[in-house]
Amino acid sequence: ILEPPPEVSIAAKTASVTEGTDAAFTVTASRAPGADFTVKLTVSEAEGSDFIAADNEGAATVTIPKGKTEAAFAVPTADDAQEEPDGTVTAALAGGAGYTVAASPGNAASVSVADDDAVSTAPAFSVADVTAKEDVGLMWFTVRLSPAADRAVSVSYRARESNPVSAQQGQDYLRAEWDLHFRAGETEKRFWVGIFNDSHDEGRETFEVALYNARGAQIADGVAVGTIVNDDPLPGAWLARFGRTVAERALDGITARMAAPRRPGMQGSIAGQALDFGGGAAGGGSNLEQSPGSWSPGSLSGTGGAGFGPANEGEARGMTMREILQGSSFSLTGEADSSGGTLAFWGGAPGSGGLVSGARFAGSQRGDGTPVRLDGETATALLGTDYARGRWLVGFALSQSRAKGGYARDGAPDCAGLPEAACAVAARAGDGDVEASLTATIPYAALAVTEGLRLWGAAGHGAGDVTVKTPGGSLSADTAWSMAAAGLRGDLLAPAAKGEAGGAGGPSLALVSDALWVRTSSERARGLAASASDVTRLRVGLEGSWGLALSGGSAVTPKLELGARHDGGDAETGFGVELGGGLAWRDPKLGLVFDLSGRTLVAHDDEGLEDRGVSAQLSFDPDPASGRGLSLSLGQDWGGRAQGGLDALFAPEPLEDRAGSGSGGEAESRWAMEAAYGLPAFGGRFTGSPHMGLGLAADVRDWSLGWRLAPAAHANVPDLSFGIRATRRESDAAQ
């Protein structure tokens, strides 16, 4: 593994010297090099001083020997007989091959040089260094005259970029150039330089204020350094949420893949319609094979909801390519090998977002005392391969994510003391856009320890880039991403076999839990400080049910779910407990199924946060085994997620971002209806089902029309199914 190049810094051996003495510095490498390497420097002195010979200024080099970490560097100063102001010698590191330069202040060092000649009693100007936080808006400098003059004197000042350039004029501080007039007897004047409070973290930045054109007095110390200190949240705060979202979307797909049935052949879907080119029963199998949803690590990321959210602008729209990809997935599984294992290739996973899964995030983070609102939208593509044999499944996934978002400061800037032009710049300095991309590899594994205990784990690493777009231009940096996650599902009370009623299987109780850690970092770049953000998530839940058989062949199943979640790290944090429950009733003779479920947020660190939801589903299908004849379904969702404590609490987005959350506002009601009729097709070997549906949510309506084809029950035909559906969405929002 190649080690990164050493980081080089420089420091002064002594803070000050007398003219005629060398200004000594020490150049230090973060680790001993394997061979001699040369470090480049630039030598300069303060404006108005003349202690260095011309051939000692400018570019210079020093060599750090093999096996050493330090090298000495000295700049000779001249000892003359001329009275002059004290000065400063600065040695700044420059970039070169085989090393990197430390961030400020380690990239430059200065030594004060004192004049040892006769001291004049003539009045002289001096200006002092200033350090200020970025959010104060103004940096005040003080110019002193010593001793006081017996007549009027004046001096000019101007703000300029330091060498090497750190803070930039027009982006970090306001251009400043003016004259200061001292009346007889005055010894002090103040002036300010405007600094802009943006939202991205540049680290400590410096600029200089230089005195010149003194009239009636001398200049003793003519250069002051202005140091801008800030701890703005970008890009770290935005990357924390982006990295968390990427990890959650990837885990959704991987855990759904772990839980999917494993049959030879190709299965999948296109635009939400099932495609199945399977070969029947699995030819070799793994104890990990389960029917969909029977043990799903992905249940920690349940979807829920009717799927009717805010519509796009306009009255109607068609399906976009992204929506098609989000509803599409595939898995290609080979026949069992000689050891009984099967190899599979897959892309996306049903219920996890498909080949491309989208997600939004939003939040707020305080920087320099001012809250900054953050938002973003990600698209993640996921492809993988895995091998299952016996109780084990091991795999490898590749994800590619892209995101766009923005940031904005809450409230208007404090323009007290700023001219109108500077206030206009400050007003837009805190807003902008962010873009990021990330490519990651994620190995994963699952183990069925026993029939009732299953474990899984995943780890990932990736790299990409982030671009912060500010009013002054774009700032880009490389990023790195790491993730580790583990989970389990254990049956505390194993369910008995279901009866013919399809739900009377006795009591069952399961424990579900997972933990996630994500770190997203960015390297230091021009105008951006390095950042590193960690996000953690711990979730645990219980889900139980009791299938009870009733007279007449019907069955009723009460359900109860309890979940707890803690989010920590550098994004949204908090602890919450949710409780869910429901009742399912099934009567095979009548062909009716009724399912009622509800959920509420019992407690959360944020006492003002409320979230609850209710869902009711009714379906009619007299002959579900054959799929023939008329079938009807009707469902209503109200409020937030209604599918119990686990499906709701373990959804990827933080509680603060849930639909239906909040302390105010009317909860939204969503309806979904569908009618289908199964008919014999292709000589009765298949069943074709034309269907139509309607979805209603607030001012949104979804009309759908489609057709499904599936093998008939007990027909000796290839296991092939597919369907097609067209959807039209209408909205009253624009009317």
Side-chain angles (χ1 to χ4, degrees):
I1 299 175
L2 296 176
E3 292 186 355
E7 184 181 81
V8 177
S9 59
I10 188 170
K13 286 188 175 181
T14 57
S16 61
V17 296
T18 303
E19 65 175 10
T21 305
D22 289 350
F25 303 86
T26 301
V27 178
T28 304
S30 60
R31 58 180 177 81
D36 293 356
F37 71 93
T38 300
V39 178
K40 298 179 180 180
L41 305 97
T42 301
V43 178
S44 61
E45 62 180 323
E47 185 176 305
S49 62
D50 188 20
F51 292 99
I52 308 175
D55 55 354
N56 288 329
E57 285 192 83
T61 61
V62 64
T63 299
I64 297 181
K66 173 183 177 182
K68 303 291 186 180
T69 59
E70 293 184 352
F73 177 71
V75 179
T77 63
D79 185 8
D80 56 22
Q82 180 180 354
E83 177 195 346
E84 59 191 331
D86 294 342
T88 302
V89 176
T90 300
L93 297 174
Y99 64 91
T100 60
V101 176
S104 177
N107 62 345
S110 299
V111 175
S112 299
V113 182
D115 180 67
D116 61 357
D117 302 304
V119 178
S120 171
T121 59
F125 293 108
S126 62
V127 59
D129 296 342
V130 177
T131 298
K133 293 188 66 176
E134 186 180 75
D135 64 323
V136 300
L138 298 175
M139 185 177 288
W140 287 92
F141 290 84
T142 301
V143 176
R144 293 181 173 86
L145 179 65
S146 180
D150 58 3
R151 64 187 183 281
V153 297
S154 64
V155 67
S156 302
Y157 70 86
R158 66 170 176 265
R160 67 186 186 188
E161 294 179 346
S162 56
N163 185 21
V165 175
S166 180
Q168 299 183 61
Q169 183 172 283
Q171 295 186 25
D172 300 301
Y173 66 94
L174 189 66
R175 180 180 181 272
E177 186 169 7
W178 204 248
D179 296 330
L180 295 176
H181 299 278
F182 288 70
R183 295 191 296 268
E186 285 188 323
T187 59
E188 186 174 293
K189 290 282 187 179
R190 297 178 72 205
F191 67 89
W192 55 261
V193 176
I195 54 179
F196 299 133
N197 186 22
D198 52 41
S199 298
H200 58 280
D201 187 3
E202 307 101 324
R204 282 179 172 254
E205 294 182 297
T206 61
F207 65 94
E208 294 177 347
V209 169
L211 304 181
Y212 68 100
N213 193 24
R215 298 170 293 279
Q218 299 179 352
I219 297 177
D221 182 1
V223 178
V225 176
T227 302
I228 305 173
V229 181
N230 78 90
D231 58 354
D232 292 312
L234 288 169
W238 196 91
L239 286 175
R241 292 158 177 83
F242 168 64
R244 176 188 63 192
T245 304
V246 169
E248 290 173 336
R249 300 314 299 163
L251 285 179
D252 281 353
I254 289 172
T255 54
R257 171 61 192 168
M258 293 177 187
R262 201 172 184 89
R263 294 181 296 152
M266 182 173 179
Q267 295 84 39
S269 62
I270 296 180
Q273 300 302 303
L275 291 175
D276 195 333
F277 300 91
S286 163
N287 289 337
L288 290 168
E289 295 172 10
Q290 303 287 331
S291 61
S294 59
W295 88 277
S296 173
S299 68
L300 298 178
S301 304
T303 52
F308 299 106
N312 290 343
E313 293 183 3
E315 297 183 358
R317 63 170 181 82
M319 180 172 287
T320 65
M321 179 57 68
R322 178 170 173 177
E323 290 173 322
I324 293 175
L325 292 175
Q326 287 178 340
S328 303
S329 61
F330 76 90
S331 64
L332 179 60
T333 306
E335 298 288 344
D337 57 23
S338 58
S339 61
T342 56
L343 179 66
F345 298 90
W346 58 275
S352 70
L355 291 171
V356 174
S357 60
R360 291 182 174 91
F361 60 85
S364 178
Q365 192 124 340
R366 187 173 297 274
D368 278 342
T370 306
V372 178
R373 290 178 284 108
L374 309 163
D375 64 79
E377 183 175 3
T378 67
T380 299
L382 195 64
L383 296 173
T385 180
D386 51 41
Y387 180 80
R389 188 181 72 177
R391 297 179 179 274
W392 279 97
L393 181 146
V394 293
F396 179 87
L398 177 66
S399 76
Q400 170 67 43
S401 301
R402 293 187 179 276
K404 291 184 178 181
Y407 62 95
R409 286 190 178 272
D410 281 337
D414 183 4
C415 293
L418 284 176
E420 183 177 348
C423 186
V425 175
R428 61 186 178 90
D431 300 351
D433 300 320
V434 187
E435 295 181 357
S437 65
L438 177 67
T439 301
T441 56
I442 308 173
Y444 59 91
L447 170 64
V449 180
T450 65
E451 279 296 318
L453 177 61
R454 296 171 178 88
L455 309 176
W456 64 269
H461 183 73
D465 58 75
V466 62
T467 299
V468 180
K469 297 182 178 180
T470 73
S474 295
L475 307 170
S476 298
D478 292 334
T479 62
W481 175 87
S482 298
M483 177 270 291
L488 65 86
R489 180 186 176 91
D491 292 331
L492 303 179
L493 184 61
K498 291 184 179 181
E500 294 182 0
S508 66
L509 182 64
L511 172 68
V512 185
S513 179
D514 77 350
L516 170 67
W517 168 83
V518 184
R519 168 169 289 181
T520 313
S521 60
S522 63
E523 296 183 358
R524 179 177 176 82
R526 174 72 178 271
L528 284 179
S531 71
S533 303
D534 292 340
V535 174
T536 61
R537 186 188 69 191
L538 177 63
R539 306 181 295 187
V540 62
L542 290 172
E543 54 183 17
S545 64
W546 194 318
L548 301 172
L550 304 178
S551 60
S554 62
V556 64
T557 304
K559 299 170 290 184
L560 183 65
E561 297 176 322
L562 177 66
R565 168 175 177 163
H566 181 269
D567 292 276
D570 300 314
E572 288 72 29
T573 60
F575 176 80
V577 177
E578 292 195 63
L579 177 66
L583 186 69
W585 172 78
R586 178 188 300 268
D587 191 327
K589 293 182 179 180
L590 299 178
L592 291 176
V593 176
F594 177 72
D595 195 329
L596 177 66
S597 58
R599 179 202 54 77
T600 183
L601 178 65
V602 178
H604 193 269
D605 287 349
D606 184 352
E607 296 180 356
L609 182 63
E610 298 179 3
D611 192 19
R612 61 178 63 91
V614 177
S615 174
Q617 308 291 328
L618 177 65
S619 63
F620 169 74
D621 191 347
D623 191 6
S626 69
R628 303 283 172 85
L630 178 67
S631 63
L632 303 170
S633 65
L634 173 65
Q636 183 185 19
D637 290 342
W638 176 83
R641 295 177 180 268
Q643 300 302 315
L646 299 187
D647 284 342
L649 186 66
F650 288 169
E653 68 268 21
L655 288 172
E656 290 83 349
D657 300 337
R658 306 286 179 79
S661 297
S663 58
E666 183 178 353
E668 181 184 1
S669 177
R670 303 175 295 279
W671 289 85
M673 294 157 275
E674 183 183 270
Y677 200 93
L679 299 169
F682 300 101
R685 294 177 298 172
F686 290 85
T687 298
S689 303
H691 58 88
M692 61 186 300
L694 171 63
L696 301 173
D699 298 327
V700 180
R701 293 179 297 277
D702 275 3
W703 303 87
S704 64
L705 186 66
W707 184 71
R708 294 187 290 263
L709 181 71
H714 309 298
N716 186 20
V717 296
D719 190 2
L720 168 66
S721 63
F722 66 92
I724 184 171
R725 180 176 65 181
T727 301
R728 175 183 175 86
R729 172 163 290 188
E730 299 177 348
S731 173
D732 297 331
Q735 299 179 1

